[in-house]
Amino acid sequence: MTTLAASADFPATPRRATGTIAPPRADCVADSAGGLTFDVTDHGGPAPAHLVLTLRDTAENVRLPLTPAGDGRLRAALPSSVRLPEGRWDAFAQVAGEEPRRLTPGLNDLRSLVDRVPGASGGSVSVRIPYATKHGNLTVRSWLRAPHAEAGELLLTDGELTVHGRVYGTALTPGSVAEIRSRADAGPVLRTEVTAHGDEFSFRVAYEDLEAGRWDLWVRPEGEDGLAVRVARLLDDVADKKPIFTYPTARVDTARGRIAAGPYYTDNNDLALLVTPVAAE
């Protein structure tokens, strides 16, 4: 558990017309360094209070003091220097001596996350994106990658995918390679050449070389014996890419038969490929 400093009093909670207590709400502002500020607008009783982030399905949490910010609001800050392990962190408000109450999202100002270029100090990239869950609650999606390979433009042509990206916290070398790894147990690993320009890279994937199944994309900036870095798209304001970024599939004739293949983002925003067999037409 991580706790930051002391907290302020928590004003009285407004009630709905029905007499039930309205859930506390938080506005979020993201900064370009990777920090978040929470302004809580619906509150509890006069006692010290914290904003509590709990890593889903674990007992790990981070407690942030809520302090007066004017206009009847309390503010909690999550600086980029506070480590937030990768995962989904559910947000609560807790008054001293009471049970934590789930926060609902207010306004999210995430403009600083669009086209963000992190410093990658210490070789790591830290990303935190607040979002509303399907139940209308506030959660923060966190990534911590060291180093990181950010996916950029994906160019789809007949039977081929070209991936453009940039590395952070590492350097590309003349021996850099990309790996296309089958997700099947003991599945094959295919390698392809990487073209590098400074920290930017590109590589091509020929669909005809792939068997049916799911394939994950990696780069090895230092060559075949170097560290493998997962290719992902993290540096924007979209917490879940999978339903938002969709791409067409290509139908390709291979030595093993006709296939349909195309890229997609996983639940973790990692870049992958799906290959399925196509029945004879």
Side-chain angles (χ1 to χ4, degrees), residues 119-145:
S121 59
S124 66
V125 169
S126 175
V127 178
R128 294 92 174 264
I129 305 177
Y131 71 98
T133 69
K134 63 182 180 181
H135 300 297
N137 296 315
L138 177 64
T139 292
V140 176
R141 184 66 172 93
S142 174
W143 290 267
L144 191 61
R145 300 286 172 97

Side-chain angles (χ1 to χ4, degrees), residues 76-88:
L78 176 67
S80 58
S81 57
V82 173
R83 186 176 183 275
L84 204 64
E86 192 160 318
R88 297 180 189 270

Side-chain angles (χ1 to χ4, degrees), residues 219-231:
V219 294
R220 289 186 181 269
E222 299 176 359
E224 294 184 6
D225 297 326
L227 179 69
V229 183
R230 189 75 165 89
V231 180

